[in-house]
């Protein structure tokens, strides 16, 4: 037993979750979930899928947005979807999806900016009943305690488990935080992934990271997320010009966009550095979190705060460049959505490793002052390249990222696992 495994034995929450099994005795039914309306034309549902995430879509994180996109399309496939996540129930329901909100303590996000909700024992009992009733359990990410509990319960009841893994190693600046995450990945996440029926990775880099210390029960699959092309698609040049005028954006300067949570791993310190060095250009930041860009006091930075997912489309359409100097993310959905709108992206080499060959379509750089400054100076000097790339990146996104293809894959996989 190595040092990491010995430390993991001290992880107190594991024993709490395991003790919730209560010798296999669970309530017959979960708390009454909220059921959204479903079209009458859909045929009788035959397969019951339990979807488990740490939050619902209103949290505005990429993982839960992805889960919602898939849930909507899987429901149209005829699957009966129950979605368990930290409550409350979303204000906007997805047609054909039942909601099972979990009571959770979210102290770590409020104090540290780490989204790691801990579900209460009564909610875990309801989760147990939901696992027992379903045919297949689908987890988005393996590290969250609620997902770990669902995986253990699925093993107890003999239910097949699909894990869609989004995130891998995050190189936090704080050594303690970085070490805790590494221990958790090598214990909790490894256990969930190794015991899943099928692991699916949205990032090649994340898959390679876990493959170094995880023995999968089946060969893992690589499937990037899709894009909702009804919202995120290129505009005609005159339409884009009108939109920029409505936003008060002028063509005498570049308009740079950031969309994401205001946390360390998103690269806020690099954004600040670039915005300070390139004050002739305008920066729009959409998001929320413990870090506060308004405190930078830079006149060329506008902070718009959190925004509904579909409302971000106009900013993707209008921007000249998405700038996301993040690490440890797999491959962020906002990069895919920007590209689908025809807007090129500047991302870190760490993020680019998630999609093989993406460096041919994105601007990439190491996360250092010298590398980012040099890359951005080339972009500013050769502004025409941004216009040239717009159609190219939109074509790539349309050809490679499709939610319907993803939904077809998961529907077929779920049915195959349920039939075994």
């Amino acid at each position: 037993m190595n040092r990491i495994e010995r430390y993991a034995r001290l992880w107190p929450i594991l024993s709490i979750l395991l003790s919730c099994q209560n010798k296999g005795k669970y309530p017959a039914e979960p708390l009454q979930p909220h059921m959204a309306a479903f079209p009458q034309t859909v045929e009788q549902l035959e397969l019951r899928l339990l979807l488990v995430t740490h939050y619902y879509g209103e949290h505005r994180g990429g993982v839960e947005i992805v889960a919602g996109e898939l849930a909507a399309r899987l429901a149209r496939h005829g699957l009966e979807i129950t979605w368990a996540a930290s409550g409350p129930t979303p204000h906007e329901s997805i047609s054909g999806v039942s909601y099972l909100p979990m009571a959770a303590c979210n102290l770590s996000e409020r104090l540290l900016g780490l989204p790691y909700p801990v579900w209460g024992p009564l909610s875990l009992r309801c989760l147990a009943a939901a696992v027992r009733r379903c045919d297949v359990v689908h987890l988005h990410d393996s590290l969250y305690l609620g997902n770990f509990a669902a995986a253990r319960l699925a093993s107890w009841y003999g239910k097949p488990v699909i894990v869609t893994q989004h995130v891998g190693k995050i190189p936090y600046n704080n050594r303690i935080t970085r070490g805790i995450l590494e221990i958790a990945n090598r214990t909790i996440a490894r256990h969930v992934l190794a015991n899943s029926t099928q692991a699916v990775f949205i990032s090649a880099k994340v898959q390679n990271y876990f493959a170094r210390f995880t023995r999968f029960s089946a060969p893992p699959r690589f499937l990037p997320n899709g894009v909702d092309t009804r919202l995120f698609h290129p505009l005609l040049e005159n339409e884009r010009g009108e939109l920029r005028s409505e936003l008060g954006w002028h063509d005498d300067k570049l308009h740079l966009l950031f969309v994401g949570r205001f946390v360390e791993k998103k690269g806020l310190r690099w954004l600040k550095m670039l915005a300070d060095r390139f004050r002739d250009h305008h920066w729009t930041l959409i998001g929320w979190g413990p870090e506060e860009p308004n405190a930078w006091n830079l006149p060329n930075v506008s902070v718009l705060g959190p925004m509904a997912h579909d409302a971000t489309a106009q900013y993707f359409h209008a921007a000249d460049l998405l700038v996301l100097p993040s690490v440890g993310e797999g491959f962020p959905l906002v990069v895919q959505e920007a590209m689908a709108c025809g807007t090129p992206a500047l991302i870190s080499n760490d993020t680019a490793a998630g999609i093989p060959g993406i460096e041919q379509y994105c601007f990439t750089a190491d996360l250092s002052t010298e590398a980012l400054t040099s890359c951005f100076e080339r972009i500013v000097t050769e502004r025409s390249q941004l216009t040239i790339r717009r159609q190219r990146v939109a074509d790539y996104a349309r050809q490679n990222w499709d939610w319907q293809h993803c939904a077809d894959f998961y529907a077929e996989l779920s049915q195959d696992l349920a039939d075994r």
Side-chain angles (χ1 to χ4, degrees):
M1 182 183 299
N2 60 35
R3 182 182 300 175
I4 287 176
E5 289 172 330
R6 287 200 300 270
Y7 288 160
R9 283 179 173 267
L10 301 178
W11 202 289
I13 197 66
L14 294 182
S15 61
I16 295 174
L17 290 176
L18 292 174
S19 68
C20 291
Q21 292 185 13
N22 196 25
K23 299 182 180 180
K25 297 179 181 179
Y26 296 94
E29 296 294 334
L31 293 177
Q32 184 64 34
H34 171 77
M35 179 66 181
F38 196 82
Q40 296 299 316
T41 57
V42 175
E43 297 180 1
Q44 181 68 34
L45 303 177
E46 297 181 354
L47 191 152
R48 293 168 295 187
L49 179 71
L50 175 63
L51 174 64
V52 184
T53 62
H54 55 320
Y55 296 109
Y56 289 118
E58 291 185 352
H59 186 257
R60 297 178 294 273
V63 173
E64 47 268 35
I65 290 173
V66 168
E69 293 283 358
L70 287 173
R73 288 163 177 80
L74 288 172
R76 291 198 289 270
H77 263 282
L79 278 71
E80 180 183 330
I81 310 291
T82 299
W83 187 353
S86 302
T89 301
H91 295 301
E92 296 185 8
S93 300
I94 298 174
S95 181
V97 176
S98 305
Y99 294 91
L100 187 62
M102 302 282 107
C105 173
N106 202 24
L107 193 62
S108 65
E109 184 170 36
R110 292 198 298 270
L111 296 181
L112 305 173
L114 299 175
Y116 204 81
V118 178
W119 295 352
L122 290 179
S123 288
L124 291 174
R125 289 172 65 85
C126 294
L127 179 67
V131 171
R132 187 172 64 177
R133 293 178 62 248
C134 76
D135 299 307
V136 178
V137 177
H138 186 176
L139 312 177
H140 280 268
D141 265 355
S142 56
L143 189 56
Y144 298 101
L145 296 181
N147 295 33
F148 174 82
R152 292 294 300 166
L153 292 164
S155 177
W156 182 275
Y157 285 122
K159 306 291 185 175
V161 176
I162 301 169
V163 179
T164 299
Q165 187 66 31
H166 299 256
V167 180
K169 181 177 182 178
I170 304 175
Y172 287 111
N173 291 328
N174 185 290
R175 292 173 57 187
I176 296 176
T177 304
R178 190 168 64 247
I180 290 174
L181 178 64
E182 185 68 12
I183 292 172
N185 277 336
R186 290 176 177 268
T187 53
I188 298 176
R190 181 180 67 175
H191 174 85
V192 172
L193 288 167
N195 289 280
S196 66
T197 317
Q198 181 65 63
V200 182
F201 291 85
I202 64 101
S203 161
K205 179 181 177 66
V206 174
Q207 179 175 332
N208 292 336
Y209 166 71
F210 280 105
R212 293 202 299 268
F213 53 84
T214 305
R215 299 185 66 177
F216 300 97
S217 61
R221 304 290 296 273
F222 168 58
L223 182 69
N225 292 322
V227 174
D228 186 351
T229 54
R230 297 171 302 172
L231 286 173
F232 304 100
H233 56 82
L235 295 181
L236 297 175
E237 195 56 38
N238 64 312
E239 295 175 332
R240 183 167 174 264
E242 292 173 0
L243 177 58
R244 286 167 67 94
S245 296
E246 292 174 4
L247 295 173
W249 293 5
H250 304 291
D251 293 335
D252 59 339
K253 60 180 66 177
L254 288 178
H255 291 274
L256 299 317
L257 179 66
F258 168 87
V259 179
R261 294 174 61 242
F262 298 155
V263 293
E264 177 188 328
K265 77 170 187 175
K266 295 290 186 179
L268 269 292
R269 69 185 182 111
W270 300 117
L271 285 174
K272 179 182 178 182
M273 181 274 293
L274 288 171
D276 191 26
R277 291 192 173 209
F278 296 91
R279 295 198 177 200
D280 291 338
H281 305 289
H282 186 258
W283 299 74
T284 298
L285 278 58
I286 299 174
W288 64 282
E291 298 192 28
E292 185 46 76
N294 279 321
W296 301 349
N297 294 319
L298 293 174
N300 59 326
V301 174
S302 298
V303 181
L304 300 186
M307 189 175 294
H309 182 222
D310 55 357
T312 61
Q314 63 175 334
Y315 292 93
F316 286 130
H317 286 135
D320 294 302
L321 180 72
L322 176 76
V323 183
L324 188 66
S326 59
V327 292
E329 288 209 278
F331 198 79
L333 183 62
V334 295
V335 177
Q336 297 176 265
E337 291 170 343
M339 292 176 64
C341 292
T343 299
L346 168 57
I347 59 177
S348 68
N349 285 325
D350 179 85
T351 296
I355 304 289
I358 199 65
E359 65 276 0
Q360 301 177 40
Y361 302 89
C362 293
F363 299 98
T364 63
D366 289 329
L367 293 183
S368 68
T369 300
E370 180 180 357
L372 284 170
T373 300
S374 175
C375 181
F376 202 82
E377 284 177 343
R378 291 196 302 271
I379 293 172
V380 171
T381 303
E382 303 175 9
R383 290 180 60 174
S384 61
Q385 289 298 315
L386 292 173
T387 303
I388 294 172
R389 288 199 183 205
R390 293 195 70 86
Q391 189 59 52
R392 189 167 173 239
V393 300
D395 289 343
Y396 178 88
R398 186 183 66 256
Q399 294 165 9
N400 291 277
W401 299 325
D402 177 38
W403 275 131
Q404 193 56 52
H405 170 71
C406 293
D408 292 345
F409 168 83
Y410 282 109
E412 182 177 351
L413 175 61
S414 298
Q415 189 65 62
D416 177 61
L417 297 183
D419 290 342
R420 290 184 186 180

